[in-house]
């Protein structure tokens, strides 16, 4: 089109006041050329809960063929009514973050690197170290001769990221082992 | 929260203090603005003008660590102007109780202080009792030893001039806030108080909150819709993880941890089960034996019998006078006394105070297990800047944790709504739920003990354990089950049936429950945490209760202490916003605190059912550091004279002492500026998850320090310059954000500067800066052992060279 | 029926849920940013940021004003960018009849650098940006895919406080005027921005010069070629000159 910018402006500017919306350049065709398939079409919806603050916003996850495609606020949660703050809005990105640890890693004493290991290796080794330390340091009676049945040299710093059910098994394990140094973010 | 999120909309006044709700609980502002739309006044009292302040009717800056002075002045104002809710105060609080003669307060100390141990013997903090064992009361409130009179006397020192001078808040501003809040001392006016870590993270944290709660009691705002004292819990399931007590000092369900003082279950229960002679006091903790026994049954199953006190002996006993909280856990680790352990979903190398110490402490471990989604500063402690991995002998296991959307389970929001979430897809890689890790590790430990024996194997052999981690099974066990066929009341239950609610739990081993407060969430009707039903009665809808959505503990009660929202005849004080009402012989609305009829009825009960005496505690004898909150300066303070007493800091505060812990002296001229730390909207806690979520790092990429224009001028710093912030513990680089939103304060006639920094940026994200908590102090509140992150002394200068921040 | 957004900045807490939700829905990668002494980041639109929250602060007569402006394409009812682009590459910019959405297509890559700059120059709000790698011009697409599927745009859906609204244009205009009347009780200088010409109607509480340069179209014609919007502005001068 050999029309100069200034000319174009004049052209379209002329008689503006009496032109209708359509005459002002609305494309009469639907903008079909524009990519419009909904990328979550056909996905299954799963309800989750935001893993950040205690507003506990409900989140809908869209999953297709086992692939997590997208997430957004759940309009049925009466507290948020579908809204989310930026952290909640980034729920999907957080899940698929490039930085996530996807395999157990092991760092030997004095080593300068992680090694990838399978679950059996790390779990067996951890159980062994727990037992070694507990057997070595378990205190049945304190200096006054009172029964204390505890181990002071093993600690546990837990997390508000755990579900209630996870907290329950964790507490059960720790008291059974005799751990007394246990705490979590409620202390922050 | 005594309330729940939606209830904020019912307030006539919203006082946000010790919180930056719009930034840290963004959804809360949906309801703050709903209240504002309906005509409420929204007030933000905070050192910094934040996004919360921007949407409030007014913002009042105060010096960090002076909330008790501010609120103490408000309390004095309410009493002096006679603005309190008289019937409520007389009937429902302990204002009329007569305090024992031995109780005194002098020079900043209450009776019973032992300077050697820095603790109180609290035996004089009690009430006079009559021949029948009932508390002596004077409902005229005139008795000189009545709580009311003692309260009046205690806060008489908090006059507006002193308060203004110490807090840095102008008198105009003080009056504006006091007037607005005090105006809710009427039955049909109600204020809510929203707080968070801005109140807890002080050496007087608990007393900050207590004083706020006392004001709410005086104004008759507890139990009311739109009222209450609302802790906005900072983390996703910090409510639930506290209920389940991932804490050294409690067993699940708010039972004290066994100590050497209670070698047997009988002694433990005797010491911890309060008794009252007052028939009108529900004294709910009288049920503790039922809950503790059910917990032990849940843990040890058939091995827990009446003969072995349900396995109580197997539980570890702590020493009553030894510190175990995280601050001290790391202190012991630093001193080489802890050899191995676990951290799940927690980044103390960023989030604990004086992180130099935390980072060094971890290198003393022989072995260390971390369950995480990312390689955080804590996971990577062995290769942290300034350390040679060769010299770190720790064996480290990094277990890949899956994310929330990859597992089933429940979390509890700040309003105690207990909500199920569903696994959407298989966890990425071979990552697993943390619960799975715990179950698998313990399975293997049990197998080793079964095969080899070992130290005190009984609890390990006898603990009921699981073939695999199953959230549904655990949810059922948390709710509780009948362990045998049994009749409770007039109902029969079969072995294995789910317990309908906690009133059915028993102390004879017939029931199990891993956390009594959740009993009722998963009864015969199934898993109520999955409910998504919006049905409510018009009365419930008016205040937005949503009783059929999910399930709230306790027993689906949405507003706690709701019996205080009605008069002694069960008539709502604020009919337009009624929570419960006694109509035709029954309660309607919310689930009341117990089914008993209104208080005036011969069978009626007092509203504060969790307190032994049934009354709201204006005089609170349960705290470690006094029955009345008193202003003490932060452990590091820019001033040298406390106008309220000779006692500068909280006499009971907990201090972790080591060669790299140090406190600046009062008014230290080397560190004239007050530093406060905080979170931000775009990042969460230590930042492990959010710094590795690209869109969030894009929005808030690097560590900054917010400073006033006046301070910037004084220090020759321009907006965007890199500056060094220094305290006695360390130095940190940050980008200066020079802003009108920070205001120098006039404190005791001098200009005082306050600066603020987030703490989420760490070295594993290159160029973003490193831990702000290298600056903070290892001191804590004596009740909670929560560290004083909110106030310490620092100085600031323009950086000559930049090493931590990408420019 | 054309749609419109009504953005009530008097409710905005600048949580940036909209900024992030927009990126998430569009699967936009993050752009590298630095802290420069403000919370506003990225500093401006990029090919991967269709929505940014602008932060401006002032202290006037001792009163702190922190102003938030969730900025995005205004989806002009008669978009000058489309007119400019049509002159070179028809179909590079289209307008959706059903919603009024102004949409940049793949054909924007056919615009030369100068032509693309011209498209940008005619926008009174400095919205379009060119991706130097692909040559495409981009900006907010009003989540046309979501709208067509009956869903709210990502930013509106995620808004915590109800600052962002979407609906029929007539309804949004009515809501905007009704809200303005109420907001004026507390903020006498509150105003709507260019509401007659735009698909995205902002309510601001303070004089527009306290926000940022492009909050509203310039009321005086900019130096150089007069834009179509400037032309429109002149036609309506008696009204607009009273603003600001």
């Amino acid at each position: 089109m050999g029309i100069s910018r200034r000319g174009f402006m004049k052209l379209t500017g002329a008689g503006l006041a009496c032109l209708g919306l359509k005459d002002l350049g609305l494309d009469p065709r639907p903008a079909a050329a524009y990519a419009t398939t909904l990328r979550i079409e056909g996905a299954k919806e799963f309800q989750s809960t935001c893993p950040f603050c205690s507003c506990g916003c409900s989140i809908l996850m869209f999953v297709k063929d086992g692939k997590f495609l997208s997430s957004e606020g759940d309009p049925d949660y009466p507290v948020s009514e579908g809204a989310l703050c930026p952290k909640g809005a980034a729920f999907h990105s957080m899940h698929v973050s490039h930085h996530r640890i996807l395999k157990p890693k092991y760092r030997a004493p004095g080593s300068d690197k992680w090694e990838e290991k399978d679950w059996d290796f790390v779990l067996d080794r951890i159980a062994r170290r727990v037992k070694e330390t507990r057997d070595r340091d378990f205190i049945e009676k304190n200096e006054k001769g009172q029964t204390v049945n505890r181990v002071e040299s093993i600690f546990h710093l837990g997390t508000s990221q755990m579900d209630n059910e996870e907290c329950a098994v964790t507490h059960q394990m720790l008291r059974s082992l005799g751990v007394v140094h246990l705490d979590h973010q409620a202390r922050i | 929260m005594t309330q729940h999120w939606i209830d904020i909309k019912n307030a006539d006044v919203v006082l946000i203090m010790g919180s930056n709700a719009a930034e840290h609980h963004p959804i809360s502002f949906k309801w703050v603005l709903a209240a504002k739309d309906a005509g409420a006044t929204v007030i933000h009292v905070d050192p910094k003008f934040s996004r919360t302040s921007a949407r409030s009717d007014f913002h009042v800056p105060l010096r960090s660590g002076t909330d008790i002075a501010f609120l103490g002045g408000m309390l004095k104002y309410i009493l002096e102007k006679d603005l309190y809710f008289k019937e409520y105060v007389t009937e429902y609080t302990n204002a009329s109780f007569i305090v024992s003669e031995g109780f005194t307060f002098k020079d900043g100390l209450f009776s019973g202080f032992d300077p050697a141990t820095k603790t109180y013997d609290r035996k004089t903090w009690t009430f006079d009792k009559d021949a029948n064992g009932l508390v002596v009361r004077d409902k005229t409130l005139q008795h000189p030893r009545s709580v009311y009179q003692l309260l009046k006397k205690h806060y008489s020192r908090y006059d507006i001039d002193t308060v203004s001078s110490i807090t840095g808040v102008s008198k105009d501003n003080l009056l504006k806030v006091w007037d607005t809040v005090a105006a809710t001392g009427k039955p049909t006016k109600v204020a809510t108080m929203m707080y968070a870590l801005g109140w807890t993270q002080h050496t007087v944290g608990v007393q900050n909150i207590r004083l706020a709660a006392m004001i709410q009691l005086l104004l008759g705002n507890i139990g009311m819709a739109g009222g209450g004292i609302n802790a906005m819990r900072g983390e996703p399931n910090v409510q639930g993880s506290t209920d389940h007590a991932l804490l050294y000092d409690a067993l699940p369900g708010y039972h004290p941890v066994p100590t050497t003082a209670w070698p047997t279950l009988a002694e433990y229960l005797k010491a911890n089960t309060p008794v009252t002679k007052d028939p009108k006091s529900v004294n709910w903790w009288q049920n503790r034996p039922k809950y503790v026994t059910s917990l032990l049954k849940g843990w040890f199953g058939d091995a827990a019998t009446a003969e072995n006190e349900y396995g109580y002996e197997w539980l570890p006993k702590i020493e009553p006078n030894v510190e175990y909280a995280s601050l001290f856990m790391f202190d012991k680790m630093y001193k080489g006394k802890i050899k191995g352990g676990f951290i799940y979903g927690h980044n103390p190398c960023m989030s604990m105070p004086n992180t130099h110490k935390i980072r060094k402490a971890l290198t003393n471990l022989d072995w260390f297990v971390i369950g995480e989604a990312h390689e955080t500063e804590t996971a990577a402690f062995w290769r942290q800047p300034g350390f040679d991995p060769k010299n770190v002998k720790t064996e480290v296991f990094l277990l890949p944790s899956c994310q929330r959307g990859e597992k089933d389970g429940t979390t509890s929001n700040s309003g105690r709504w207990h909500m199920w979430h569903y696994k959407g897809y298989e966890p990425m890689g071979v990552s697993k739920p943390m619960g799975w890790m715990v179950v698998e590790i313990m399975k293997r430990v049990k197998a080793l003990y079964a095969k080899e024996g070992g130290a005190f194997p009984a609890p390990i052999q006898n603990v009921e354990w699981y073939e695999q981690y199953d959230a549904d099974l655990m949810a059922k066990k948390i709710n509780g089950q009948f362990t045998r066929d049994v009749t409770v009341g007039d109902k029969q239950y079969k072995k294995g049936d789910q317990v309908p609610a906690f009133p059915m739990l028993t102390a004879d081993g017939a029931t199990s429950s891993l956390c009594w407060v959740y009993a009722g969430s998963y009864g015969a009707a199934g898993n109520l945490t999955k409910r998504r039903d919006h049905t409510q009665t018009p009365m419930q809808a008016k205040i937005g209760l949503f009783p059929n959505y999910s399930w709230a503990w306790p027993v689906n009660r949405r507003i706690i202490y709701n019996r205080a929202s009605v008069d002694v005849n069960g008539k709502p004080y604020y009919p337009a916003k009624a929570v419960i009402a006694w109509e035709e012989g029954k309660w309607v609305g919310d689930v009341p605190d117990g089914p008993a009829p209104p208080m005036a009825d011969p069978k009626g009960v007092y509203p504060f059912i969790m307190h032994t005496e049934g009354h709201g505690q204006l005089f609170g004898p349960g705290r470690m550091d006094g029955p009345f909150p008193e202003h003490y300066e932060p452990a590091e303070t820019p001033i040298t004279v406390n106008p309220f007493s000779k006692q500068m800091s909280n006499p009971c505060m907990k201090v972790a002492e080591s060669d790299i812990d140090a406190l600046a002296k009062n008014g230290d001229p080397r560190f004239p500026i007050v530093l406060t730390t905080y979170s931000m909207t775009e990042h969460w806690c230590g930042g492990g998850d959010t710094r590795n979520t690209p869109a969030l790092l894009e929005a808030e990429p690097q560590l900054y320090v917010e400073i006033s224009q006046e301070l910037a001028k004084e220090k020759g710093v321009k907006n965007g310059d890199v500056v060094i912030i220094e305290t006695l513990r360390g130095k940190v680089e940050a980008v200066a954000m020079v802003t009108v939103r920070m205001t120098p304060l006039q404190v005791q006639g001098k200009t005082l500067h306050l600066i603020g920094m987030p703490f989420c940026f760490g070295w594993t994200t290159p160029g973003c800066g490193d831990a702000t908590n290298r600056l903070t102090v290892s001191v804590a509140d004596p009740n909670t052992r929560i560290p004083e992150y909110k106030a310490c002394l620092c100085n600031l200068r323009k950086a000559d060279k930049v090493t931590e921040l990408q420019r | 029926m054309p749609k419109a957004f009504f953005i009530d900045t008097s409710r905005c807490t600048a949580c940036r849920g909209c900024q992030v939700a927009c990126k998430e829905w569009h699967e936009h990668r993050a752009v590298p940013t630095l802290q420069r002494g403000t919370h506003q980041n990225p500093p401006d639109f990029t090919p991967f940021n269709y929505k940014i929250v602008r932060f401006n602060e002032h202290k006037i007569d001792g009163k702190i004003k922190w102003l938030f402006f969730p900025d995005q394409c205004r989806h002009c009812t008669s978009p000058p960018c489309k007119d400019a682009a049509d002159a070179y590459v028809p179909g590079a910019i289209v307008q959706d009849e059903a919603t009024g959405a102004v949409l940049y297509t793949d054909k924007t890559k056919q615009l030369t650098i100068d032509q693309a700059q011209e498209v940008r120059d005619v926008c009174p709000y400095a919205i379009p940006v060119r991706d130097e790698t692909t040559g495409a011009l981009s900006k907010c697409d009003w989540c046309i895919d979501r709208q067509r599927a009956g869903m709210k745009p990502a930013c509106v859906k995620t808004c915590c406080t109800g600052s962002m609204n979407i609906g029929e244009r007539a309804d949004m205009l009515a809501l905007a005027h009704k809200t303005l009347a109420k907001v004026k009780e507390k903020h006498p200088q509150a105003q709507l921005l260019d509401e007659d010409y735009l698909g995205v109607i902002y309510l601001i509480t303070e004089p527009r010069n306290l926000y940022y340069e492009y909050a509203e179209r310039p009321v005086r014609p900019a130096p150089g070629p007069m834009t179509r919007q400037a032309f429109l502005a002149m036609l309506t001068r008696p009204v607009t000159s009273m603003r600001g």
Side-chain angles (χ1 to χ4, degrees), chain B residues 382-497:
Chain B
W382 51 272
R383 58 179 190 91
Q384 63 186 293
F387 281 71
D388 184 349
K390 276 206 282 300
N391 301 329
V392 180
K393 53 159 193 173
T394 318
E395 184 176 19
V396 187
F397 305 87
L398 173 52
L399 309 185
S401 167
C402 67
Q403 293 282 23
R404 177 68 54 79
E406 298 165 345
K407 63 185 179 188
D408 287 321
T410 62
T411 55
S412 305
N413 78 6
S414 212
R416 299 161 284 101
W417 290 20
H418 184 208
M419 304 178 293
W420 192 264
H421 59 83
Y422 298 82
K423 173 175 164 179
Y425 61 99
E426 285 306 314
M428 280 170 60
V430 294
S431 64
K432 295 285 185 188
M434 291 178 281
W436 181 91
M437 299 170 196
V438 171
V439 166
E440 293 300 317
I441 290 168
M442 190 61 183
K443 242 161 82 178
R444 284 163 164 84
V445 171
K446 267 177 84 86
L448 287 177
Y449 274 87
K451 197 168 146 208
E452 302 169 6
F456 197 60
I460 294 173
Q461 285 162 351
N462 288 319
V463 67
E464 266 202 353
W465 208 245
Y466 313 97
E467 263 318 294
Q468 57 192 359
Y469 175 68
D470 175 350
D472 185 65
L473 171 70
M474 291 314 298
K476 284 180 172 158
K477 286 200 52 131
I478 289 167
N479 175 84
Q481 297 161 334
F482 290 96
T483 63
R484 54 181 189 244
D485 294 355
V486 69
T487 305
V488 183
D490 54 359
K491 284 214 166 158
Q492 289 188 324
Y493 300 97
K494 285 208 155 11
K495 179 178 176 172
D497 281 356

Side-chain angles (χ1 to χ4, degrees), chain B residues 152-219:
Chain B
K152 210 167 171 179
K153 188 174 154 205
H154 189 86
Y155 292 101
S156 62
R157 298 165 297 138
Y158 288 66
D159 62 89
I160 191 162
D161 291 309
T162 313
V163 170
S164 173
S165 149
I166 195 87
T167 56
V169 181
S170 71
K171 288 193 234 176
D172 282 352
N173 272 343
L174 285 173
L175 285 173
K176 201 154 72 166
V177 180
W178 294 353
D179 266 335
T180 312
V181 176
T184 67
K186 300 186 182 78
T188 56
K189 279 265 181 204
V190 66
T192 186
M193 294 199 184
M194 297 166 65
Y195 76 91
L197 305 183
W199 269 353
T200 60
Q201 293 178 338
H202 290 281
T203 42
V204 292
V206 166
Q207 299 287 9
N208 282 335
I209 297 151
R210 244 193 68 68
L211 186 46
M214 286 160 62
I215 288 172
Q216 288 293 66
L217 284 173
L218 286 171
L219 297 171

Side-chain angles (χ1 to χ4, degrees), chain C residues 4-51:
Chain C
F5 276 12
F6 168 53
I7 303 181
D8 177 0
T9 70
S10 78
R11 301 185 80 78
C12 178
T13 57
C15 77
R16 294 196 274 200
C18 56
Q19 180 175 320
V20 171
C22 173
K23 283 192 84 96
E24 288 282 311
W25 178 253
H26 292 96
E27 300 179 278
H28 277 155
R29 69 168 170 83
V31 300
T33 52
L34 291 176
Q35 174 53 255
R36 299 156 294 114
T38 169
H39 288 289
Q40 185 180 316
N41 243 328
D44 211 338
F45 295 112
T46 79
F48 310 99
N49 297 84
Y50 292 169
K51 178 119 192 169

Side-chain angles (χ1 to χ4, degrees), chain B residues 361-389:
Chain B
L362 285 167
T363 67
N364 289 336
L365 294 174
D366 293 338
W367 57 272
F368 172 50
V369 179
I370 178 159
E372 255 298 353
H374 296 280
E375 190 197 17
T376 61
E377 288 71 18
T378 300
F381 77 93
W382 51 272
R383 58 179 190 91
Q384 63 186 293
F387 281 71
D388 184 349

Side-chain angles (χ1 to χ4, degrees), chain B residues 187-264:
Chain B
T188 56
K189 279 265 181 204
V190 66
T192 186
M193 294 199 184
M194 297 166 65
Y195 76 91
L197 305 183
W199 269 353
T200 60
Q201 293 178 338
H202 290 281
T203 42
V204 292
V206 166
Q207 299 287 9
N208 282 335
I209 297 151
R210 244 193 68 68
L211 186 46
M214 286 160 62
I215 288 172
Q216 288 293 66
L217 284 173
L218 286 171
L219 297 171
N221 287 336
I222 301 278
M224 307 284 285
I229 176 90
N230 292 302
M232 291 179 283
R233 312 293 315 250
E235 317 206 13
N237 193 31
V238 78
Q239 183 62 55
S241 54
T242 305
D243 302 334
H244 289 281
L246 295 179
L247 300 162
Y248 80 91
D249 56 342
L251 299 180
Y254 301 93
H255 306 301
V257 69
T259 75
T260 53
W262 310 312
T264 65

Side-chain angles (χ1 to χ4, degrees), chain A residues 46-58 61 63 66 68 74 76-81 83 85-87 90 93-107 109-114 119-120 122-131 133-136 138 142 146-150 152-173 175-188, chain B residues 5 26-27 30-31 201 233 235-237 240-242 244-250 252 260 299 313 316-317 319 324-326 329 332 338-346 367 373-375 379 382 389-390 392-398 400 403-410 412-414 418-425 428 430-431 433-435 444 448-449 452-453 455-456 459-460 463-466 469 471 474 532 534 549 681 684 692-693 784 786-787:
Chain A
F46 292 88
Q47 185 229 321
S48 189
T49 306
C50 179
F52 295 112
C53 85
S54 60
C55 293
C57 295
S58 183
M61 306 169 62
V63 178
F68 182 20
D74 174 0
D76 289 337
Y77 181 49
V79 174
S80 66
E81 299 175 325
C85 79
K87 292 193 292 295
S93 288
M94 188 195 78
H95 276 65
V96 302
S97 167
H98 61 286
H99 192 264
R100 267 183 65 176
I101 306 293
L102 299 177
K103 286 184 177 163
K105 291 190 176 193
Y106 175 75
R107 182 262 180 188
S111 168
D112 62 357
K113 61 175 191 303
W114 291 113
W119 274 112
D120 278 334
V122 289
L123 295 170
D124 284 341
R125 181 89 192 125
I126 292 165
R128 172 56 67 194
R129 300 241 48 179
V130 169
K131 182 164 190 299
T133 309
R134 185 179 181 276
D135 284 351
R136 187 187 65 212
F138 197 81
N142 66 7
Q146 295 165 310
T147 301
V148 298
N149 289 335
R150 67 184 181 227
E152 295 177 359
S153 60
I154 299 178
F155 80 103
H156 175 102
L157 195 61
T159 177
S160 62
Q161 275 292 7
M162 278 188 176
D163 293 340
N164 289 313
E165 297 72 25
E166 297 178 298
C167 294
V169 288
T170 303
H171 199 126
Q172 190 176 0
M173 164 174 155
R175 296 294 180 196
S176 308
L177 291 173
V179 170
V180 288
H181 285 113
L182 76 134
D183 227 342
H184 85 299
Q185 281 100 340
R187 206 73 66 187
I188 289 178
Chain B
W5 291 111
I27 290 293
K30 178 185 280 288
W31 303 106
Q201 293 178 338
R233 312 293 315 250
E235 317 206 13
N237 193 31
S241 54
T242 305
H244 289 281
L246 295 179
L247 300 162
Y248 80 91
D249 56 342
T260 53
W299 279 348
E313 187 207 349
K317 315 291 180 301
E319 300 293 332
Y324 298 88
S326 48
M329 185 190 284
K332 291 179 204 179
I338 288 180
K339 297 299 178 195
F342 301 86
I343 295 182
Y344 289 97
H346 197 320
W367 57 272
H374 296 280
E375 190 197 17
W382 51 272
K390 276 206 282 300
V392 180
K393 53 159 193 173
T394 318
E395 184 176 19
V396 187
F397 305 87
L398 173 52
Q403 293 282 23
R404 177 68 54 79
E406 298 165 345
K407 63 185 179 188
D408 287 321
T410 62
S412 305
N413 78 6
S414 212
H418 184 208
M419 304 178 293
W420 192 264
H421 59 83
Y422 298 82
K423 173 175 164 179
Y425 61 99
M428 280 170 60
V430 294
S431 64
M434 291 178 281
R444 284 163 164 84
L448 287 177
Y449 274 87
E452 302 169 6
F456 197 60
I460 294 173
V463 67
E464 266 202 353
W465 208 245
Y466 313 97
Y469 175 68
M474 291 314 298
R532 292 168 63 75
H534 287 192
Y549 191 92
T681 314
W684 184 68
N692 293 305
T693 300
T784 60
I786 290 176

